[in-house]
Amino acid sequence: MSALVGTMRSLKFSRELVLLGVLIALIVVMTLLDPLFLTPITMLNTSRFFVEVGLMALGMTLIIITGGIDLSVGSNLALVSVAVGFSFAAGLPLPLAILFGLVVGVAAGLFNGLFITLLNVHPLVVTLGTLALFQGLAYGISKAQAVSDFPGWFAYFGQAYLGPIPGQLFIFVMAVAVVWVILSRTSFGRYVYAIGNNEEAARFSGVPIRKVKLALYSGIGLLVGMAAVIYTSRVYTARGDSGVGLELDVISAVVLGGASIYGGSGTIGGTVLGVLIIATLRNGLILAGVPSTWQLFVLGVLLLAAVFVNEFFRKGEE
Amino acid sequence: MSETRAPTPTERGGAGGESVRRFLARPAAPALAFLAVLLVAFTLANDRFLTASNLESIVDSVAVLGIIALAVNQVILCAEIDISTGSMLGLCAIAAGAVSLSTGGILLPLLAGVAVGALAGAINGALVTLGRIPAIIVTLGMLYALRGVILLVTGGTWITGVPEPTRFLGTGKVLGISVPVLILFGLFLVMELVNRHSTWGRNVFAVGGNRVAARFAGLPVNRVRFVAFTLVGVFVGIASMIYLGRAGSVQTNTGVGLELQAVAAVVIGGTSISGGRGSSLAALTGAVLIGVILNGLILMGVPGIWQDAVLGGLILLAVTTDVLRRRLVGDKA
Amino acid sequence: MLRRAWLPKALRATLLAVLVLAVAACGVGQQGPSQGGGGGGGPNKICMMPKLVGIPYFNASEQGANEAAKEVDVDLVYDGPTEAKAALQSQMIEQFIQQQCDAITVAANDPNALAPAMKKADNAGIATGAWDADVAKDARDVFVNQATFEAIGYELVDVMAEQTGGKGEFLVVTGSLTAPNQVAWLKEMRERMEEKYPEMSIASVEPGEEDLQLGIDITKNYLQAHPDTAGVFGITSVALPGAAEAVEQIGRAGEVPVTGLSTPNEMKPYIESGAVKKFVLWNPVDLGYLAVYVANAQVEDKLPKSGTFKAGRLGEVKLLAEDEVLLGPPIVFSKANIDQYDF
């Protein structure tokens, strides 16, 4: 038993080392193509873009560990963005509007969670439905228009710098720390792994499965809300088409980071490295002058490659 | 009610008992009922709704969706999923369109479209079966990768000026009925027959119902799923010829969003997302239902921006109904 | 057990690394001819962004931009998002800034959303401009306008009036109900009808959302529900072919006049079949060409504040205002002249 645990530990450890190696290699390649890449300014600027995906990926990691998935995060972001912008435009003071947006995000996540736990419907189809539903609500409520006249201080969420470091990076680092503690140091975290490894056994062991899942889907809703506020602040506009397609980046980051899509394994460290790799790739490709038409293709293939390597060899070890 | 009967194949509904109860147990029953209600409601709201030409144009407009849904239905019956069909349609239409610009006619462009589709479907199938990658990830990655391929291959230029003869599959009429409708119903009949009478067709239900049991029973589980994914590609290829005919040109964003509608059609129509339960009638009904709803929305003047919300709401409604129905009926499909 | 576990693990790790790098290398192998090389010395670096890449209209402007780039010997980066989303553009502008462009000019999906990014560019000493679709006035130094909203709106109505005897109720199929330029054209169209053709009116405006099939279906549905419609305007490069196709499919080509804005190559089949007799546009090739000339002049500080400006083969181009350059009057395409154009 301890040998198994020992193997598992060294498994996780070496996987993250490899990811770190890949990240460094990528940075080297990008820098060779465009020497500007390695300047601190550029690196820090890159970090401004990945915070939103990163926050969502933190929540997605836990969900994927339990064997679930949430395809609706991108649309949820759009909905929160619209909620913030349009409630503000309708007269709500901005701080309350932001709070309202966060509430909407959590409510949307809870909506997913209820469908999944009470009705026992597979998360895949529920979140496929809510992907369309939230997107449609975002478009419909905003009537395809945008809100841009926010007061100056709103920009702090997405555009502020503390010294040379972008403000949202601090938020991200704190979120990483919190989620990491939850996952690896609390009983809640153990429950998450237990559900992912064998849900039936977990149920018999007394794990409060329903509550855990509800917490997970609402939790990612909160993270989506935070990401939405940062995103809206960064582009300074609330629109119904924000965040569309982000679920690809989020899921790719988690899977790249080593989580098994079938559940039972995954770490916050791996996910963070996954987020960094994708952000480096995206930003680096653009800086190197690669046309954006290639990015779609590259990212699609990357997702497939990452999961392939993940699953093909993992299964081989069983 | 006091009859004893052998365990029923759940996909065909109950055996014995009143025929009404048998009908109600069919997977497509709730959707058909809902469709009937909608037809009545829309007719009352707008008397132009129930004309033959409007109805035909509704079915005509969902022909592409319906054909793709028939194939995606098989994948979902296997307890898998395919969300790459939108990008597949774009790529097949481009292949068919490009060929039609140089050779004209129907057969060669059709072959080109089907070949490209079959190849893409086969890649999906191989990655899922041999690569052991979950279908949701495979088809999500392919959705983006194929869209990227479309942009790269076309360089952003559209395909325009498709010759008239090539467009027959989309705009032609045979015996007064529009060709897309004929093809849709023809393929529907084919799939019904395949599901009832062919080995592969019956295996699909077994694999979807309980993959482990199917494997132990010696069924070629991987081959069944691989064929299902490839079939999607073939049907998308056929549908692309219809699209080409109806639209006359192909843009780089052709097919965007279609994959969601296809899954929605299948699920709303009554096929269960967990696999093993459903029918081609469900897929067809679901597609027609979506067409009727979208058509009705336009006629009622509801702005197009609400379409996605309606679609999402319907998926959730269908899924909830399925769960409630299963709890009431008591089977654990 | 432990030893066996290492082999696939190491293999897995290496394979992953190789795959990621291979995928990156694949993408990188497709670099465009222009690379980031630094700001000082050498040719000016002009970074030009369309609303999105992958549609013929913006491919045409790229054509013109490349032509101009060769003539004035600048380093041209022409790239945009693959979807017409302002947030994606905003991000790209920031990346242009990092690439140390000398000038950034953008066709905006949303005039306000891009303002912060453009202002950042301005602060970094980069010449800022817009073309085709403007950003907020204080976010750019100059706007290259293809034609005034008034000229386009009026021309569209005049072309339709010619074919319908100056009366009737019309359907307008647009892209999205909120795109600023489309909204502006509608306003001018209504004004022209009020002033000159009081018996013409716009009965309905439907959004085709740049989806060809949707545009076809919307037009067909509308015409079947309102058979007395006098004509159809399709005011985007996707809406017009869609409207023409719809009219053909219900067998009323020629009977119901169709006109609007689109590119010649897309419209050739419909001009030939007679579904569309005339339609309007400007020359996007020329627009892209002019945008590069203007951006270059900005960098060299040679852009006048009024009067005219010499832009290569376009000759003397007018300045409508201190910060606005006008390409010229719109072009009316018809059977007589459509073969002269290839975009």
Side-chain angles (χ1 to χ4, degrees):
Chain A
M1 184 60 193
S2 57
L4 194 62
V5 170
T7 318
M8 276 171 61
R9 283 228 186 91
S10 53
L11 218 72
K12 276 190 280 183
F13 182 59
S14 94
R15 162 132 205 141
E16 273 133 31
L17 264 189
V18 170
L19 283 175
L20 194 59
V22 168
L23 181 62
I24 294 176
L26 254 188
I27 293 180
V28 166
V29 168
M30 292 303 165
T31 310
L32 287 176
L33 290 162
D34 182 6
L36 292 167
F37 192 78
L38 199 53
T39 57
I41 306 248
T42 310
M43 308 267 277
L44 287 171
N45 260 322
T46 308
S47 72
R48 291 183 55 216
F49 304 136
F50 72 59
V51 166
E52 294 125 26
V53 168
L55 283 172
M56 297 195 283
L58 292 175
M60 188 71 81
T61 309
L62 272 67
I63 289 180
I64 287 187
I65 292 178
T66 62
I69 197 167
D70 186 348
L71 297 172
S72 67
V73 289
S75 314
N76 196 357
L77 192 142
L79 190 59
V80 172
S81 177
V82 165
V84 171
F86 284 76
S87 62
F88 169 67
L92 202 61
L94 190 53
L96 285 182
I98 293 176
L99 205 59
F100 176 59
L102 292 176
V103 167
V104 167
V106 174
L110 189 63
F111 184 75
N112 278 334
L114 287 172
F115 256 95
I116 292 169
T117 54
L118 289 182
L119 291 181
N120 254 319
V121 183
H122 197 286
L124 180 63
V125 68
V126 169
T127 56
L128 196 61
T130 49
L131 176 144
L133 181 65
F134 296 159
Q135 185 63 67
L137 287 176
Y139 272 137
I141 296 174
S142 66
K143 299 203 206 318
Q145 285 173 319
V147 170
S148 305
D149 44 349
F150 296 106
W153 62 266
F154 185 57
Y156 279 127
F157 291 104
Q159 300 175 39
Y161 286 82
L162 274 131
I165 306 181
Q168 60 259 58
L169 198 55
F170 288 107
I171 300 180
F172 181 56
V173 168
M174 285 195 308
V176 168
V178 168
V179 178
W180 180 80
V181 164
I182 292 178
L183 185 60
S184 52
R185 294 273 180 269
T186 66
S187 50
F188 185 83
R190 286 199 298 276
Y191 291 158
V192 168
Y193 280 111
I195 296 175
N197 273 312
N198 188 331
E199 192 164 321
E200 283 305 308
R203 195 191 309 271
F204 283 122
S205 314
V207 171
I209 299 196
R210 194 169 278 183
K211 287 197 196 138
V212 169
K213 285 192 179 177
L214 278 176
L216 287 181
Y217 286 94
S218 314
I220 202 178
L222 179 63
L223 288 166
V224 169
M226 288 165 60
V229 170
I230 294 177
Y231 181 96
T232 310
S233 161
R234 180 163 65 79
V235 300
Y236 218 63
T237 307
R239 290 182 67 99
D241 61 9
S242 321
V244 171
L246 279 184
E247 56 274 354
L248 177 70
D249 279 25
V250 173
I251 296 176
S252 301
V254 174
V255 161
L256 196 58
S260 167
I261 204 70
Y262 294 111
S265 67
T267 63
I268 294 299
T271 298
V272 170
L273 285 169
V275 170
L276 288 175
I277 290 178
I278 290 185
T280 309
L281 200 58
R282 271 201 185 275
N283 207 33
L285 287 179
I286 297 230
L287 283 181
V290 174
S292 38
T293 44
W294 266 96
Q295 297 218 344
L296 265 183
F297 178 69
V298 165
L299 281 148
V301 171
L302 180 65
L303 176 60
L304 294 174
V307 182
F308 174 73
V309 171
N310 235 356
E311 298 304 325
F312 193 68
F313 290 101
R314 184 193 309 268
K315 284 277 173 102
E317 280 170 32
E318 280 171 13
Chain B
M1 276 68 65
S2 60
E3 309 167 353
T4 51
R5 44 187 166 84
T8 60
T10 51
E11 68 273 14
R12 307 210 207 297
E18 313 93 334
S19 56
V20 171
R21 184 165 171 278
R22 197 187 332 155
F23 173 74
L24 282 177
R26 295 185 82 93
L32 282 170
F34 191 39
L35 181 61
V37 167
L38 273 187
L39 287 175
V40 168
F42 281 129
T43 309
L44 291 175
N46 185 334
D47 55 355
R48 229 182 286 272
F49 184 81
L50 206 56
T51 58
S53 69
N54 192 33
L55 290 176
E56 197 196 7
S57 100
I58 293 177
V59 182
D60 197 74
S61 67
V62 292
V64 168
L65 176 64
I67 292 173
I68 296 179
L70 284 172
V72 172
N73 188 39
Q74 300 299 319
V75 167
I76 292 185
L77 283 173
C78 287
E80 301 287 355
I81 194 165
D82 189 337
I83 55 170
S84 66
T85 49
S87 304
M88 252 196 234
L89 180 74
L91 197 56
C92 294
I94 286 174
V99 167
S100 77
L101 287 180
S102 49
T103 68
I106 297 181
L107 190 61
L108 283 176
L110 177 63
L111 284 177
V114 168
V116 167
L119 180 61
I123 294 178
N124 278 340
L127 287 174
V128 171
T129 55
L130 296 176
R132 285 177 269 180
I133 306 177
I136 181 66
I137 301 283
V138 169
T139 55
L140 186 65
M142 284 291 271
L143 178 69
Y144 286 93
L146 287 178
R147 187 61 63 185
V149 170
I150 291 175
L151 284 172
L152 292 170
V153 154
T154 61
T157 35
W158 297 351
I159 308 243
T160 57
V162 173
E164 267 310 305
T166 309
R167 301 179 58 178
F168 178 71
L169 288 184
T171 54
K173 281 188 190 282
V174 169
L175 302 174
I177 309 180
S178 87
V179 173
V181 173
L182 287 173
I183 297 181
L184 176 63
F185 279 106
L187 288 175
F188 163 66
L189 288 173
V190 165
M191 290 316 300
E192 275 286 304
L193 289 172
V194 164
N195 277 137
R196 279 173 209 272
H197 299 294
S198 83
T199 319
W200 175 80
R202 288 200 298 265
N203 284 345
V204 162
F205 286 99
V207 167
N210 189 329
R211 192 190 307 176
V212 175
R215 205 191 298 267
F216 277 129
L219 296 183
V221 169
N222 277 354
R223 202 176 341 140
V224 169
R225 294 183 298 155
F226 178 80
V227 169
F229 280 104
T230 312
L231 187 73
V232 169
V234 169
F235 273 43
V236 169
I238 299 175
S240 73
M241 279 298 283
I242 295 180
Y243 179 91
L244 206 57
R246 297 189 71 227
S249 62
V250 188
Q251 311 159 266
T252 46
N253 70 348
T254 293
V256 166
L258 192 64
E259 59 279 344
L260 181 69
Q261 289 186 9
V263 173
V266 171
V267 166
I268 291 172
T271 294
S272 168
I273 196 72
S274 13
R277 184 172 207 290
S279 65
S280 297
L281 181 61
L284 184 62
T285 311
V288 172
L289 201 53
I290 290 182
V292 164
I293 289 174
L294 293 182
N295 175 278
L297 287 178
I298 295 181
L299 278 182
M300 292 196 306
V302 174
I305 39 182
W306 287 103
Q307 269 188 24
D308 270 346
V310 170
L311 210 60
L314 283 176
I315 293 179
L316 294 174
L317 186 65
V319 153
T320 315
T321 319
D322 189 51
V323 168
L324 292 177
R325 192 191 49 77
R326 274 194 276 141
R327 290 215 185 142
L328 286 174
V329 172
D331 60 41
K332 298 263 180 276
Chain C
M1 178 62 192
L2 244 151
R3 225 178 300 140
R4 230 176 64 85
W6 274 99
L7 196 50
K9 195 174 26 149
L11 193 61
R12 186 195 339 161
T14 325
L15 208 61
L16 180 65
V18 166
L19 273 168
V20 170
L21 291 176
V23 157
C26 239
V28 157
Q30 295 306 311
Q31 276 186 66
S34 43
Q35 292 192 41
N44 291 330
K45 187 166 176 185
I46 311 284
C47 298
M48 191 164 159
M49 191 191 304
K51 279 188 178 177
L52 76 163
V53 292
I55 64 170
Y57 176 82
F58 287 114
N59 287 349
S61 3
E62 187 177 2
Q63 213 182 309
N66 280 327
E67 191 190 331
K70 275 201 212 85
E71 281 175 28
V72 285
D73 192 30
V74 293
D75 214 357
L76 176 69
V77 175
Y78 184 96
D79 198 10
T82 51
E83 292 176 84
K85 295 205 195 305
L88 296 174
Q89 284 190 310
S90 190
Q91 199 152 317
M92 256 187 133
I93 293 175
E94 304 235 8
Q95 282 154 340
F96 277 175
I97 297 176
Q98 287 173 55
Q99 281 182 285
Q100 301 191 332
C101 302
D102 295 306
I104 296 181
T105 183
V106 63
N109 284 308
D110 180 315
N112 293 316
L114 301 187
M118 289 299 272
K119 286 188 188 146
K120 236 182 141 184
D122 192 46
N123 287 337
I126 302 177
T128 57
W131 59 285
D132 182 77
D134 206 356
V135 290
K137 270 185 184 293
D138 60 345
R140 80 325 184 240
D141 294 324
V142 77
F143 173 46
V144 179
N145 198 357
Q146 54 271 35
T148 56
F149 295 134
E150 186 185 295
I152 294 173
Y154 284 24
E155 190 68 66
L156 282 173
V157 172
D158 288 349
V159 164
M160 185 64 92
E162 216 184 320
Q163 298 178 38
T164 58
K167 49 178 168 246
E169 295 203 340
F170 297 89
L171 166 69
V172 174
V173 183
T174 179
S176 95
L177 291 171
T178 56
N181 48 356
Q182 293 159 24
V183 167
W185 292 327
L186 276 168
K187 172 164 163 287
E188 300 296 335
M189 284 165 73
R190 289 193 166 105
E191 259 181 38
R192 183 65 158 176
M193 286 184 182
E194 256 183 57
E195 277 177 29
K196 205 164 170 207
Y197 309 99
E199 289 180 59
M200 284 173 79
S201 69
I202 295 180
S204 180
V205 180
E206 300 288 336
E209 308 295 347
E210 305 298 343
D211 182 330
L212 183 59
Q213 191 59 58
L214 186 61
I216 296 176
D217 288 335
I218 283 183
T219 311
K220 265 171 55 174
N221 281 330
Y222 187 87
L223 289 176
Q224 281 165 335
H226 306 88
D228 294 325
T229 306
V232 182
F233 290 94
I235 60 175
T236 77
S237 60
V238 174
L240 179 57
E245 181 64 41
V247 161
E248 269 187 7
Q249 284 186 12
I250 59 174
R252 297 183 69 191
E255 193 193 309
V256 177
V258 177
T259 188
L261 301 166
S262 188
T263 47
N265 282 353
E266 267 58 59
M267 295 310 296
K268 272 182 190 146
Y270 302 108
I271 290 273
E272 263 157 50
S273 74
V276 176
K277 295 212 171 45
K278 291 190 184 177
F279 66 96
V280 178
L281 198 68
W282 49 88
N283 191 331
V285 178
D286 289 350
L287 184 62
Y289 182 89
L290 180 60
V292 170
Y293 263 88
V294 167
N296 192 41
Q298 271 182 288
V299 177
E300 311 259 311
D301 221 4
K302 293 201 186 116
L303 192 64
K305 296 264 183 239
S306 66
T308 64
F309 160 66
K310 183 155 194 324
R313 61 172 171 79
L314 294 177
E316 294 291 336
V317 170
K318 211 162 57 150
L319 270 88
L320 282 185
E322 200 178 281
D323 61 347
E324 193 171 329
V325 180
L326 180 68
L327 176 62
I331 307 179
V332 178
F333 297 91
S334 68
K335 214 171 212 165
N337 64 0
I338 196 170
D339 291 315
Q340 300 168 18
Y341 301 93
D342 181 21
F343 59 84

